[in-house]
PDB file of all heavy atoms in Angstrom:
ATOM      1  N   TRP A  83      24.010  36.000   9.900  1.00  0.00           N
ATOM      2  CA  TRP A  83      24.887  37.113  10.254  1.00  0.00           C
ATOM      3  C   TRP A  83      24.268  37.902  11.395  1.00  0.00           C
ATOM      4  O   TRP A  83      23.112  38.326  11.329  1.00  0.00           O
ATOM      5  CB  TRP A  83      25.115  38.004   9.041  1.00  0.00           C
ATOM      6  CG  TRP A  83      26.097  39.102   9.291  1.00  0.00           C
ATOM      7  CD1 TRP A  83      25.843  40.434   9.372  1.00  0.00           C
ATOM      8  CD2 TRP A  83      27.506  38.956   9.524  1.00  0.00           C
ATOM      9  NE1 TRP A  83      26.995  41.131   9.634  1.00  0.00           N
ATOM     10  CE2 TRP A  83      28.042  40.246   9.725  1.00  0.00           C
ATOM     11  CE3 TRP A  83      28.367  37.858   9.573  1.00  0.00           C
ATOM     12  CZ2 TRP A  83      29.386  40.474   9.979  1.00  0.00           C
ATOM     13  CZ3 TRP A  83      29.706  38.078   9.814  1.00  0.00           C
ATOM     14  CH2 TRP A  83      30.214  39.366  10.013  1.00  0.00           C
ATOM     15  N   ALA A  84      25.035  38.091  12.463  1.00  0.00           N
ATOM     16  CA  ALA A  84      24.471  38.610  13.710  1.00  0.00           C
ATOM     17  C   ALA A  84      24.260  40.124  13.711  1.00  0.00           C
ATOM     18  O   ALA A  84      23.478  40.631  14.518  1.00  0.00           O
ATOM     19  CB  ALA A  84      25.383  38.222  14.875  1.00  0.00           C
ATOM     20  N   ALA A  85      24.935  40.852  12.841  1.00  0.00           N
ATOM     21  CA  ALA A  85      24.854  42.321  12.889  1.00  0.00           C
ATOM     22  C   ALA A  85      24.510  42.891  11.514  1.00  0.00           C
ATOM     23  O   ALA A  85      25.324  43.573  10.875  1.00  0.00           O
ATOM     24  CB  ALA A  85      26.179  42.903  13.379  1.00  0.00           C
ATOM     25  N   PRO A  86      23.294  42.626  11.019  1.00  0.00           N
ATOM     26  CA  PRO A  86      22.933  43.118   9.679  1.00  0.00           C
ATOM     27  C   PRO A  86      22.974  44.631   9.578  1.00  0.00           C
ATOM     28  O   PRO A  86      23.219  45.185   8.495  1.00  0.00           O
ATOM     29  CB  PRO A  86      21.508  42.586   9.483  1.00  0.00           C
ATOM     30  CG  PRO A  86      20.999  42.308  10.854  1.00  0.00           C
ATOM     31  CD  PRO A  86      22.200  41.890  11.658  1.00  0.00           C
ATOM     32  N   GLY A  88      25.160  46.582  10.448  1.00  0.00           N
ATOM     33  CA  GLY A  88      26.490  47.052  10.101  1.00  0.00           C
ATOM     34  C   GLY A  88      26.874  46.840   8.654  1.00  0.00           C
ATOM     35  O   GLY A  88      27.972  47.228   8.244  1.00  0.00           O
ATOM     36  N   THR A  89      25.998  46.231   7.860  1.00  0.00           N
ATOM     37  CA  THR A  89      26.274  46.017   6.441  1.00  0.00           C
ATOM     38  C   THR A  89      25.666  47.145   5.613  1.00  0.00           C
ATOM     39  O   THR A  89      24.727  47.813   6.057  1.00  0.00           O
ATOM     40  CB  THR A  89      25.694  44.679   5.962  1.00  0.00           C
ATOM     41  OG1 THR A  89      24.255  44.759   6.010  1.00  0.00           O
ATOM     42  CG2 THR A  89      26.179  43.532   6.830  1.00  0.00           C
ATOM     43  N   PRO A  90      26.171  47.386   4.395  1.00  0.00           N
ATOM     44  CA  PRO A  90      25.556  48.413   3.550  1.00  0.00           C
ATOM     45  C   PRO A  90      24.072  48.168   3.311  1.00  0.00           C
ATOM     46  O   PRO A  90      23.276  49.115   3.330  1.00  0.00           O
ATOM     47  CB  PRO A  90      26.358  48.324   2.250  1.00  0.00           C
ATOM     48  CG  PRO A  90      27.693  47.789   2.674  1.00  0.00           C
ATOM     49  CD  PRO A  90      27.415  46.833   3.793  1.00  0.00           C
ATOM     50  N   SER A 129      24.044  42.998  -3.651  1.00  0.00           N
ATOM     51  CA  SER A 129      24.193  43.843  -2.469  1.00  0.00           C
ATOM     52  C   SER A 129      24.823  43.121  -1.284  1.00  0.00           C
ATOM     53  O   SER A 129      25.319  43.773  -0.358  1.00  0.00           O
ATOM     54  CB  SER A 129      22.821  44.392  -2.046  1.00  0.00           C
ATOM     55  OG  SER A 129      22.232  45.146  -3.086  1.00  0.00           O
ATOM     56  N   ALA A 130      24.778  41.803  -1.282  1.00  0.00           N
ATOM     57  CA  ALA A 130      25.266  41.039  -0.132  1.00  0.00           C
ATOM     58  C   ALA A 130      26.762  41.258   0.078  1.00  0.00           C
ATOM     59  O   ALA A 130      27.552  41.196  -0.869  1.00  0.00           O
ATOM     60  CB  ALA A 130      24.978  39.559  -0.325  1.00  0.00           C
ATOM     61  N   GLN A 131      27.143  41.502   1.318  1.00  0.00           N
ATOM     62  CA  GLN A 131      28.553  41.646   1.682  1.00  0.00           C
ATOM     63  C   GLN A 131      29.021  40.558   2.639  1.00  0.00           C
ATOM     64  O   GLN A 131      30.212  40.247   2.693  1.00  0.00           O
ATOM     65  CB  GLN A 131      28.773  43.009   2.340  1.00  0.00           C
ATOM     66  CG  GLN A 131      28.545  44.179   1.418  1.00  0.00           C
ATOM     67  CD  GLN A 131      29.568  44.234   0.298  1.00  0.00           C
ATOM     68  OE1 GLN A 131      30.764  44.113   0.542  1.00  0.00           O
ATOM     69  NE2 GLN A 131      29.092  44.393  -0.931  1.00  0.00           N
ATOM     70  N   LYS A 132      28.076  39.963   3.379  1.00  0.00           N
ATOM     71  CA  LYS A 132      28.456  38.985   4.402  1.00  0.00           C
ATOM     72  C   LYS A 132      27.878  37.598   4.134  1.00  0.00           C
ATOM     73  O   LYS A 132      28.609  36.611   4.175  1.00  0.00           O
ATOM     74  CB  LYS A 132      27.992  39.477   5.779  1.00  0.00           C
ATOM     75  CG  LYS A 132      28.642  40.782   6.236  1.00  0.00           C
ATOM     76  CD  LYS A 132      30.161  40.617   6.389  1.00  0.00           C
ATOM     77  CE  LYS A 132      30.797  41.902   6.900  1.00  0.00           C
ATOM     78  NZ  LYS A 132      32.274  41.761   7.057  1.00  0.00           N
ATOM     79  N   THR A 133      26.561  37.510   3.899  1.00  0.00           N
ATOM     80  CA  THR A 133      25.944  36.192   3.784  1.00  0.00           C
ATOM     81  C   THR A 133      24.832  36.170   2.736  1.00  0.00           C
ATOM     82  O   THR A 133      24.154  37.174   2.494  1.00  0.00           O
ATOM     83  CB  THR A 133      25.322  35.745   5.125  1.00  0.00           C
ATOM     84  OG1 THR A 133      24.332  36.698   5.522  1.00  0.00           O
ATOM     85  CG2 THR A 133      26.377  35.617   6.219  1.00  0.00           C
ATOM     86  N   LEU A 134      24.662  34.999   2.132  1.00  0.00           N
ATOM     87  CA  LEU A 134      23.494  34.679   1.306  1.00  0.00           C
ATOM     88  C   LEU A 134      22.966  33.328   1.768  1.00  0.00           C
ATOM     89  O   LEU A 134      23.724  32.350   1.814  1.00  0.00           O
ATOM     90  CB  LEU A 134      23.855  34.610  -0.181  1.00  0.00           C
ATOM     91  CG  LEU A 134      24.017  35.924  -0.934  1.00  0.00           C
ATOM     92  CD1 LEU A 134      24.640  35.679  -2.305  1.00  0.00           C
ATOM     93  CD2 LEU A 134      22.662  36.623  -1.096  1.00  0.00           C
ATOM     94  N   ALA A 157      29.490  36.054  -5.907  1.00  0.00           N
ATOM     95  CA  ALA A 157      29.420  36.658  -4.570  1.00  0.00           C
ATOM     96  C   ALA A 157      30.298  35.889  -3.596  1.00  0.00           C
ATOM     97  O   ALA A 157      31.020  36.483  -2.773  1.00  0.00           O
ATOM     98  CB  ALA A 157      27.977  36.692  -4.079  1.00  0.00           C
ATOM     99  N   ARG A 160      33.846  36.851  -3.827  1.00  0.00           N
ATOM    100  CA  ARG A 160      34.277  38.118  -3.207  1.00  0.00           C
ATOM    101  C   ARG A 160      34.163  38.064  -1.689  1.00  0.00           C
ATOM    102  O   ARG A 160      34.266  39.099  -1.016  1.00  0.00           O
ATOM    103  CB  ARG A 160      33.476  39.296  -3.763  1.00  0.00           C
ATOM    104  CG  ARG A 160      32.000  39.295  -3.463  1.00  0.00           C
ATOM    105  CD  ARG A 160      31.328  40.591  -3.963  1.00  0.00           C
ATOM    106  NE  ARG A 160      29.947  40.687  -3.520  1.00  0.00           N
ATOM    107  CZ  ARG A 160      28.897  40.311  -4.208  1.00  0.00           C
ATOM    108  NH1 ARG A 160      29.062  39.798  -5.426  1.00  0.00           N
ATOM    109  NH2 ARG A 160      27.676  40.442  -3.714  1.00  0.00           N
ATOM    110  N   GLY A 161      33.958  36.857  -1.142  1.00  0.00           N
ATOM    111  CA  GLY A 161      34.011  36.677   0.296  1.00  0.00           C
ATOM    112  C   GLY A 161      32.683  36.507   1.009  1.00  0.00           C
ATOM    113  O   GLY A 161      32.646  36.397   2.232  1.00  0.00           O
ATOM    114  N   VAL A 162      31.574  36.462   0.280  1.00  0.00           N
ATOM    115  CA  VAL A 162      30.267  36.269   0.902  1.00  0.00           C
ATOM    116  C   VAL A 162      30.100  34.791   1.276  1.00  0.00           C
ATOM    117  O   VAL A 162      30.350  33.906   0.455  1.00  0.00           O
ATOM    118  CB  VAL A 162      29.130  36.707  -0.050  1.00  0.00           C
ATOM    119  CG1 VAL A 162      27.762  36.405   0.557  1.00  0.00           C
ATOM    120  CG2 VAL A 162      29.258  38.187  -0.389  1.00  0.00           C
ATOM    121  N   ARG A 163      29.698  34.523   2.501  1.00  0.00           N
ATOM    122  CA  ARG A 163      29.404  33.141   2.909  1.00  0.00           C
ATOM    123  C   ARG A 163      28.041  32.735   2.355  1.00  0.00           C
ATOM    124  O   ARG A 163      27.039  33.396   2.609  1.00  0.00           O
ATOM    125  CB  ARG A 163      29.390  33.004   4.427  1.00  0.00           C
ATOM    126  CG  ARG A 163      29.194  31.561   4.917  1.00  0.00           C
ATOM    127  CD  ARG A 163      28.718  31.515   6.352  1.00  0.00           C
ATOM    128  NE  ARG A 163      27.360  32.010   6.502  1.00  0.00           N
ATOM    129  CZ  ARG A 163      26.749  32.157   7.682  1.00  0.00           C
ATOM    130  NH1 ARG A 163      27.398  31.901   8.797  1.00  0.00           N
ATOM    131  NH2 ARG A 163      25.499  32.604   7.746  1.00  0.00           N
ATOM    132  N   VAL A 164      28.006  31.633   1.611  1.00  0.00           N
ATOM    133  CA  VAL A 164      26.774  31.174   0.970  1.00  0.00           C
ATOM    134  C   VAL A 164      26.353  29.837   1.582  1.00  0.00           C
ATOM    135  O   VAL A 164      27.151  28.908   1.692  1.00  0.00           O
ATOM    136  CB  VAL A 164      26.964  31.006  -0.557  1.00  0.00           C
ATOM    137  CG1 VAL A 164      25.693  30.422  -1.190  1.00  0.00           C
ATOM    138  CG2 VAL A 164      27.316  32.345  -1.202  1.00  0.00           C
ATOM    139  N   ASN A 188      33.691  28.946  -0.366  1.00  0.00           N
ATOM    140  CA  ASN A 188      32.780  29.803   0.395  1.00  0.00           C
ATOM    141  C   ASN A 188      31.307  29.404   0.253  1.00  0.00           C
ATOM    142  O   ASN A 188      30.426  30.175   0.655  1.00  0.00           O
ATOM    143  CB  ASN A 188      32.929  31.281   0.008  1.00  0.00           C
ATOM    144  CG  ASN A 188      33.878  32.006   0.932  1.00  0.00           C
ATOM    145  OD1 ASN A 188      34.439  31.431   1.850  1.00  0.00           O
ATOM    146  ND2 ASN A 188      34.051  33.290   0.694  1.00  0.00           N
ATOM    147  N   ALA A 229      19.671  37.984   2.110  1.00  0.00           N
ATOM    148  CA  ALA A 229      20.984  38.613   1.979  1.00  0.00           C
ATOM    149  C   ALA A 229      21.331  39.376   3.248  1.00  0.00           C
ATOM    150  O   ALA A 229      20.554  40.233   3.708  1.00  0.00           O
ATOM    151  CB  ALA A 229      20.998  39.573   0.787  1.00  0.00           C
ATOM    152  N   ASP A 230      22.473  39.064   3.844  1.00  0.00           N
ATOM    153  CA  ASP A 230      23.022  39.788   5.007  1.00  0.00           C
ATOM    154  C   ASP A 230      22.051  39.880   6.176  1.00  0.00           C
ATOM    155  O   ASP A 230      22.171  40.777   7.021  1.00  0.00           O
ATOM    156  CB  ASP A 230      23.466  41.201   4.598  1.00  0.00           C
ATOM    157  CG  ASP A 230      24.761  41.188   3.776  1.00  0.00           C
ATOM    158  OD1 ASP A 230      25.384  40.111   3.683  1.00  0.00           O
ATOM    159  OD2 ASP A 230      25.119  42.243   3.226  1.00  0.00           O
ATOM    160  N   ASN A 231      21.072  38.984   6.244  1.00  0.00           N
ATOM    161  CA  ASN A 231      20.073  39.001   7.319  1.00  0.00           C
ATOM    162  C   ASN A 231      19.363  40.355   7.395  1.00  0.00           C
ATOM    163  O   ASN A 231      18.870  40.758   8.446  1.00  0.00           O
ATOM    164  CB  ASN A 231      20.727  38.682   8.674  1.00  0.00           C
ATOM    165  CG  ASN A 231      19.729  38.207   9.722  1.00  0.00           C
ATOM    166  OD1 ASN A 231      18.584  37.912   9.406  1.00  0.00           O
ATOM    167  ND2 ASN A 231      20.165  38.143  10.964  1.00  0.00           N
TER     168      ASN A 231
END
Side-chain angles (χ1 to χ4, degrees):
W83 185 249
T89 67
S129 301
Q131 295 294 312
K132 297 298 182 180
T133 59
L134 282 169
R160 65 175 188 265
V162 176
R163 184 200 69 185
V164 176
N188 265 1
D230 286 351
N231 200 11

